């Protein structure tokens, strides 16, 4: 029956893709701008990359622009041109449509070969030989309902915490190793000039096997927050891809 | 200060786009597969088209594939090739990644020139001279909180109800004009063969100025539901675009 | 890595079992006493049988006995002896421990070869050629959160509505075909003597391909409710298994 | 069409007012009695002043009087006479109707030229050169729903924390600079005599660019709470206006 | 002690005002634009008038303008000039600040002598001799919590239903006397031209002792909705005041 | 150990009392003023009487007086004198403290010998030979949580529906026998004069074995509601006790 | 009209009682067993005593006995005999019906002359001259809804914290004066023998003007909890009454 | 009447079982895999054993396998063979059906003679002579609703904390005796190899009278978490049974 044919090809293709991506070169947690940009550049370089995202849709904080005015800004537009996003010049800033930007980024990352599993949530880290070797994940709907269900694992040579402000993976590490991150994980007061540059500069490895990118960098290093300007996010994602690419 | 520059360009560009799209050739309610496909074909034909979507992200029911297995199926792949979605052949079916499909559709609709306002919800219809002339909309966050706040209007020569199963606009019409739609607005039991064809065939105008496309068609005509097979949605979106194009 | 080995064998075994049970001889909705008893007798007879259950655990209304006093009663004990449940005689009634009864029933059904998918919810019926040919199911956690995600299908030659008081599958049928079930789907006032017998007697096929068993029978025929006495449930489950066995 | 004319003039006027008030002499957070009084006196003195208020209505804790008995009290009535509120003398106290008081204060602040944006919530501070230069704001409905959406900025030479008991802006400052405010931000036990005087006396600048007024003063200096007597609130608002006026 | 002095004058003044307003010439349910305008004109004419409002603040749907853009529109400005609201001319429309309009209306109604009890909710009608003689009210916080507590009564020669879209008092009457209002209580599709005029024209007495004003008129007569244009509300409030004034 | 001694005597005494009261002369549902008064007079006459109450505390709507002003009124005071409640004369009315009245009523009913099971909720009726022979009950905490747990039974020669406005038992009867109670179960508009008398007059048997008392009478006969005046409740409770006493 | 007569006598009597009890000899927070017993003995001694209780009903933790088995135990029965509660001897323990005990205690406290205001919640302490001089209270329904409304005051020479396990008033004192109560406010593990005696022994004044009684004593001194045995509660309430009586 | 006969035998049998199990050799908190395995081996050895479980069903985290894929894994299968669970060999791992495993474990524990009370929650420990002598329990539905109801006690010579990750009983002990457990009660990052062995090795007595088993061991000793592999749980349950058996 065609109904069960549809069901079967979906379940089997998903299962195959998931089984094939339990071990990866890189696993990225969070499909926001930094995570998607990192995935795009990693996959383009032929590196086996998986993103997990706890929400049903991807894009993180892009969709709403500022306070729901769905426009986003950039200080330059090289990466936007590369991924094919239309921009307008307004004074010294470039604007783009938030929806177009979000969709283009996801589309290009997928086309480059990155795998994305949505509705999937990191609940812990896999730590062996004092190295982060992947993440412990669960169905995010099951977790939201507080059901008592065990997780499974997605492993990787390198793990990127691209979870944004909460810096969730670093927070998990800190919970058992508070001495590693004595500071509060929080961003500092808004200051766009210093934040955009600092966020890219500090992008990198914070523990063997664990990299940070995007707003998680601001949380870990207490850098200023920046608001709806996304150039730093893209550059941070690109930089983390380059750093990992050099190590592989 | 750069922080207020960012705020200002965003607010002003949004306000300008919104003001310019208060009157349209076509307004589409719902940024799911049928609504996005319709917008893509309408905008490509040079018709001024606006989509409103009450959620923060677009894509409707695509993201989760079947039960969260994020893969979707199609019986043929012409439109997919046109919008650039990678497909796999599995028996008689084509599969695609749900995230890639959703992102590609939104990206191509935007690139073609369609305007999308997310976080915006239709709460009523504008009806004059017994013709639907647009919709009454509100901020969907404000509405979700039950705050008592008046709406505003987005008008159009033609309005498309692409809200999926609830067929929300038809439901509003039915509430004051129950004799027009004596049947329950609900889909019939699943039957993929008859549903895909029927949904496209019945796509069209149901009241002066009001068209239906996608799963809303199934609700209005009590056609079978179809599950995670999306060919009919794309064809219905394409057909409604063609029908309106002929009238303009 | 052993962590990914564990993940892989679980995902692949589940996927294999699910793929193999998309088409069945019998699919039962609801893993309460009637559904489990039916599954036990069907599987014991070599019939390919799958139960779906929306909760995380099985057993339905057994666990709490009466008002949380976790003891259940029976008028005779033949089936209990067969499945190995300890009973006490108290006057004309037999009592059993609710937890032991629930666990034994599930254990014996599984041992006999029935397949059970928990956290899986029927959201519709598959109807072709005016015959129920299976059910449309979804992840119940995804549904509880109201996420907009398409379902998949589990088909079968015969479908049993063992959903208890709501008689959910009959309710779905009634929604589109109200003339078939003009009565309210509800049980009548408590009366143990007439209810136990009536429930078994009326167990059977209510529409081509669709059988009812257990308390769903009381709802469809407006029979009295019965409270924490479970003999009728077991006999209804056994009877529906015999009726289907004769037809296969 | 008149419906879109209405929409357009509203959106454009709001957008214009908002764009014009992204940079101000003074931004006040909280439209309770102290914030409105400050705005009234600042605007009357020709200073460009914007209030943001997270609720839909303004007035803060005035509306309910004491425990819902909607009457408020004062020890003298000079400011009340100035803003035109009817008072009754009862022993040594003056009473006024809570609703009249709240409405009069807002009306007079607006007439004096202050701008108020309701449904707008401060989520952070803009800090540059170790000076508070404004606030980071968002749509409060979007924030209440926990949607992941970036904020925008409203800047000012001077910022007033008139958020009442939580002293929200000071709390944000304290989170990253705990050494500045080593005490708990909380009011002390009720004592009307000492509280009214102390609250006015301590009104002032607590960090370069950041002033406090109203109950926030009690929280920052651990002064006693005072209950439904509002003279101190008005005087604190008036005093902060005078202090800022001297500096501009 | 001054703390108990404050408590005592508040409790006693509230109790005195409430006791004195248990019997009135007119009781108005709902402190939105129509209710406040009616109260202003009634009180100005020396008629004893009480408004009850279930929310803590008054103003109804004014505060948010359209979708949170806090600006409201009018087709003429006579009443606005009378109550002292600043207006701007934009094409054929006048705009006003939503907050200023709301505050001014409440302030002027109070100054004219109307009494307002907020946090007070109508839960029923007093009907004697087939005449509405007042309302049955309760503390709205107690009601929101679903506590089982009896109400009290506020009586009047004439009662005005100014509850807006739900037309709550008419709905209560309809519940026990469905033959009086055979139609659904709901507004029709937006159409500003016909709505503003119709709403004023139909303002009046719908049952001995019960008048309707404002959007409740649209619900009772199925007139079109109108959105954030408030001229009709003010005129309807003024007209109902004149109609009652003639009868007293 | 004393801790288990305490546990044991409590569990055993409760179990003994519950077992002894599974069969009664009269079971009353609802421990509000009418139910408690009925129980007092029945028990005083030596009739075996059990009350079930779904809340943790008894007293129903007495505690809050009117809108939380915890005073109740009566037109005469004979029964109050009998149960020992202090009254004040105010004009033609007597007032009493709501808490004293509620406590006295429960105390006297218990002293007279009535049994009360709180946290126990009626979920259905036992109907045999077209006679109500008792009620189906459950733990109300288990029911509030929506747990799927079977009920048990408390039987009686006569059952009194003293559930107040919802008239819950009559509502259950009406659900399966709508022809018996064609009217809506709802009270009419407030009118104290006719309500107090009518409520007592109509107190009685509405179906073999089922009596109604208190506000449930108003719902069944669409009598006016009465508010915080409780003489009718006490008289209705006394009358139903007398009617049953005559039949036993 | 009788409806407004009823409303007026209730509002005026409540207002008079509340106004008269804004200043007291003793104010007790919490109408559980210790608070009610204290009030009974204080009022019997002619001391002006007011209890406030945040719930609608009084009785605190009595109603449910143990886990809903509504029976309570005592080691002796002198006080029970005095307040007229029926007891049964079971081994070395006395049992009583929880509902009868709760009702009798409230009834006797009221008859002795204590005033009780239910639905009233302490939100703070009045502290002057380093002495607790009363409490800051609010409508508990208003507080439960999180409405921003000021409180009022109820003053007294002596204040008793009878709030049970949270020891709410002591907790408020500790928040601003942590050095006074360095320990956690929590009870120790269950041990009936030592708890009953210790709770009575430690009953007394913990800060000038503030006494503790009942389970609050266990929290403040980290004494063992005791479960459903209530002799210690009654004796603690009696003792605190005697201590205060000596000081007045 | 048979309905009351059913009620009576259930209530009396439950009451008898509960009364008989207020004192035990061993009480186990938590009916997950470790608790059930411990109960099975203890009961098989003739030791009087009671399990309490706060949920309605037993099985803890077994039912959902990994992320809802209801399959569980083991490194060897000796205990599974003993309790009769079907296994499949997949590489070095054994898989079993989660539902079969959960049901078999409960069934075998009951058959061996263990008593289980579900819907029962430990809210504290009984501590005498610095020895844990049992637990303080309550109805978990009553607790979930936050009702203020006293608990009762279940005592035992030995108590096992098998509550899983929260290690609830150890947490209660730590709250009053923080010096005993200075570490955070939390598991370490996933590492299956070291976790399975360590969990069994550290199973044992942590305070006089209190044993820990299963995942609670990982929390107390900060061992790695392990995911859906259950061999360690079974061995830990078996070991704790042996340790206690030696002491009795």
């Amino acid at each position: 029956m065609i109904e069960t044919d549809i069901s079967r090809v979906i379940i089997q293709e998903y299962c195959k893709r998931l089984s094939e991506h339990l071990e990866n070169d890189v696993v990225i947690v969070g499909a926001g701008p930094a995570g998607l940009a990192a995935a795009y550049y990693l996959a383009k370089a032929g590196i086996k990359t998986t993103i997990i995202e706890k929400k049903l849709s991807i894009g993180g904080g892009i969709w709403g622009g500022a306070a729901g005015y769905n426009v986003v800004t950039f200080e330059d537009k090289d990466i936007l041109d590369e991924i094919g996003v239309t921009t307008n010049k307004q004074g010294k800033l470039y604007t783009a449509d938030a929806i177009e930007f979000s969709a283009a980024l996801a589309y290009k990352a997928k086309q480059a070969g990155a795998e994305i599993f949505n509705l999937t949530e990191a609940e812990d880290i896999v730590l062996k030989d004092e190295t982060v070797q992947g993440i412990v994940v669960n169905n995010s709907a099951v977790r939201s309902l507080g059901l008592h269900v065990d997780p499974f694992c997605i492993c990787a040579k390198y793990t990127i915490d691209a979870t944004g402000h909460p810096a969730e993976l670093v927070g998990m590490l800190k919970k058992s190793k508070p001495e590693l991150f004595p500071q509060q994980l929080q961003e500092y007061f808004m200051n766009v000039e210093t934040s955009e540059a600092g966020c890219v500069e500090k992008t990198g490895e914070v523990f063997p096997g664990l990299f940070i990118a995007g707003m998680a960098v601001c949380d870990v290093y207490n850098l200023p927050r920046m608001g709806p300007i996304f150039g730093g996010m893209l550059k941070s994602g690109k930089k983390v891809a380059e750093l990992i690419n050099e190590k592989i």
Side-chain angles (χ1 to χ4, degrees), chain A:
Chain A
M1 199 154 47
I2 186 167
E3 284 78 10
T4 46
D5 291 344
I6 292 171
S7 302
R8 189 174 293 108
V9 301
I10 288 175
I11 292 165
Q12 289 181 341
E13 183 164 328
Y14 182 88
C15 172
K16 181 163 165 290
R17 279 170 33 193
L18 181 54
S19 294
E20 285 172 6
H21 287 82
L22 293 175
E23 300 201 355
N24 305 278
D25 291 325
V26 183
V27 67
I28 300 169
V29 181
L36 287 171
Y40 167 66
Y41 285 107
L42 284 164
K44 214 172 75 163
I47 292 167
K48 185 181 178 186
T49 303
T50 292
I51 307 182
I52 69 152
E53 166 57 46
K54 67 180 162 188
K55 295 220 173 122
L56 186 54
S57 59
I58 52 73
I62 299 173
W63 301 102
Y69 301 110
N70 66 357
V71 174
V72 288
T73 61
F74 302 85
E75 287 182 291
D76 50 53
K77 68 183 186 61
D78 295 354
I79 299 178
L80 293 171
D81 287 347
E82 181 176 351
I83 58 171
V85 174
T86 314
T87 50
N88 291 316
K89 190 126 206 268
Q90 308 247 21
K92 288 191 290 188
L93 291 163
Y94 294 90
T95 58
D97 180 84
I99 294 170
E100 181 180 345
F101 173 48
S102 182
L105 206 48
Y107 178 52
K108 292 302 161 79
K110 280 294 311 178
Q111 289 266 327
E115 194 62 74
I116 307 178
F117 296 105
N118 54 355
L119 276 181
T120 304
E121 187 171 359
E123 60 175 67
D124 211 345
I125 280 170
V126 178
L127 185 80
K128 295 192 168 183
D129 306 326
E130 285 302 289
T131 304
V132 172
Q133 302 200 5
I135 49 174
V136 180
V137 303
N138 213 330
N139 179 315
S140 59
V142 162
R143 265 175 72 87
S144 292
L145 292 175
L147 297 174
H148 184 178
V149 171
D150 267 308
F152 64 92
C153 287
I154 293 183
C155 292
K157 291 184 196 127
Y158 301 104
T159 298
I160 301 175
D161 181 341
T163 59
H165 291 314
E168 288 178 13
L169 301 191
V170 176
M172 292 167 191
L173 204 52
K174 177 179 168 136
K175 203 174 154 205
S176 285
K177 296 174 176 292
E179 70 288 358
L180 286 180
F181 302 94
Q183 73 279 33
Q184 290 279 92
L185 297 179
Q186 63 185 15
E187 50 189 0
Y188 197 64
F189 304 109
M190 183 178 275
N191 186 329
V192 172
E193 289 97 341
T194 59
S195 184
E196 287 260 314
C199 169
V200 180
E201 186 195 324
K202 293 287 192 183
T203 294
E205 195 168 19
V206 289
F207 186 84
L210 181 63
F211 287 73
I212 54 176
M215 285 312 295
V217 177
C218 296
D219 275 37
V220 172
Y221 292 104
N222 301 150
L223 300 179
R225 60 189 297 174
M226 61 187 78
I229 183 159
F230 285 87
M233 296 299 98
L234 295 178
K235 289 176 193 165
S236 171
K238 187 176 184 181
K239 182 180 172 189
V240 80
E242 290 165 353
L243 291 174
I244 289 175
N245 203 0
E246 286 164 19
K247 297 193 78 164
I248 282 180

